[in-house]
Amino acid sequence: MWNGVGPGFLPYTKGAFDHIDEMADLGFEWNSYPGAAPRPTTPELRIADLDRDGLEKEIIYGCLMVNDLIDDADLRVWVNARYNDWVSDFAKRSTRTGFFRWLSSPTTDPKAAAAESAALRQDGIEGR
């Protein structure tokens, strides 16, 4: 499902989360039907959202529990690397320097985490 809300990544339901209701009142939409366009998907859309909210900077982070949800060690490493590729590309494509990347690493495998960190540094990517 695209554009899920809350930790369960559920369709938007008015009254479930006050801060989400505030966002909906300002025009943010959660189109959760199959084929819906996820938002924000581009630096340009995200910058427009930040400008509307009066914000200059943002920390971009992915699924914080990905390492807990995936049992297969090789798949965890792959998922973390793909997220890091995406978030780094997103920040590089931005016309604003206010995107800080929260890089993800396989927390259950220190050697894999060190290898991912080294690969990112070799590509000139600094993260938090």
Side-chain angles (χ1 to χ4, degrees), residues 84-121:
N84 289 335
D85 292 345
W86 171 81
V87 75
S88 295
D89 181 63
F90 186 96
K92 286 179 193 175
R93 290 179 24 230
S94 173
T95 58
R96 183 181 286 176
T97 59
F99 290 117
F100 295 94
R101 301 171 296 256
W102 188 277
L103 301 177
S104 185
S105 64
T107 58
T108 55
D109 185 341
K111 288 181 181 180
E116 176 65 8
S117 179
L120 292 169
R121 280 195 311 275

Side-chain angles (χ1 to χ4, degrees), residues 41-123:
T41 58
T42 67
E44 296 78 22
L45 289 172
R46 190 65 205 132
I47 288 170
D49 290 342
L50 293 173
D51 289 344
R52 184 197 63 230
D53 295 340
L55 299 172
E56 293 180 20
K57 300 182 186 301
E58 177 179 37
I59 297 173
I60 302 172
Y61 60 92
C63 179
L64 298 178
M65 294 181 56
V66 71
N67 292 299
D68 298 324
L69 298 173
I70 300 174
D71 291 331
D72 182 275
D74 290 335
L75 183 57
R76 272 193 308 270
V77 170
W78 185 88
V79 167
N80 281 283
R82 297 302 66 79
Y83 165 75
N84 289 335
D85 292 345
W86 171 81
V87 75
S88 295
D89 181 63
F90 186 96
K92 286 179 193 175
R93 290 179 24 230
S94 173
T95 58
R96 183 181 286 176
T97 59
F99 290 117
F100 295 94
R101 301 171 296 256
W102 188 277
L103 301 177
S104 185
S105 64
T107 58
T108 55
D109 185 341
K111 288 181 181 180
E116 176 65 8
S117 179
L120 292 169
R121 280 195 311 275
Q122 186 176 19
D123 288 340

Side-chain angles (χ1 to χ4, degrees), residues 13-25:
T13 303
K14 188 166 182 64
F17 299 97
D18 290 340
H19 65 287
I20 299 295
D21 288 340
E22 291 175 26
M23 293 170 68
D25 291 343

